[in-house]
Amino acid sequence: MDFYYRFPATGAVQIRSLTGTFDPEDVYPPEGAVEITPTEYATELAAIQVQTELRRAAMFAEDAARKLTDYTALVALGLPVATALRLSGHVPEEPDLPDLPGLPLVDGGPS
């Protein structure tokens, strides 16, 4: 049997699965938690997951912006592009590929 809980102080949700023989009336929420319905649990869990993904995306965007700033500063100081890329960790979205004799690019790959 599953029991669903919300922790109002943190906004966290929890599912507790119990097996065996027991009286559900003897099962109490963990300290600081309130019991919620399975629907409330699913809705709140989905909202938490969306917020987590938004925070992750913001962190990745901030990191990419920092790397681009570092790269730009290093190139402005006169470092070679390859060195600036390596030191900054910046990865261009579409890197400039050198023209290699005998390897024409067709549809983005060697022919």
Side-chain angles (χ1 to χ4, degrees):
M1 176 173 243
D2 293 334
F3 297 88
Y4 303 87
Y5 303 106
R6 174 190 314 114
F7 292 83
T10 63
V13 293
Q14 178 186 65
I15 183 171
R16 182 189 286 176
S17 297
L18 300 177
T19 59
T21 304
F22 62 91
D23 183 354
E25 296 297 320
D26 291 335
V27 178
Y28 298 98
E31 186 174 332
V34 294
E35 193 164 357
I36 58 176
T37 67
T39 302
E40 289 172 312
Y41 171 82
T43 301
E44 292 184 32
L45 181 61
I48 290 169
Q49 291 169 334
V50 166
Q51 289 301 316
T52 299
E53 287 304 313
L54 290 173
R55 282 193 304 273
R56 286 186 76 233
M59 286 175 22
F60 282 118
E62 289 170 10
D63 189 50
R66 179 193 52 77
K67 288 177 179 181
L68 176 59
T69 299
D70 291 349
Y71 165 75
T72 304
L74 291 169
V75 169
L77 288 172
L79 269 69
V81 169
T83 302
L85 288 170
R86 187 176 61 252
L87 291 174
S88 67
H90 174 63
V91 177
E93 288 184 28
E94 292 185 25
D96 293 329
L97 298 174
D99 291 330
L100 301 174
L103 293 175
L105 295 179
V106 177
D107 296 325
S111 61

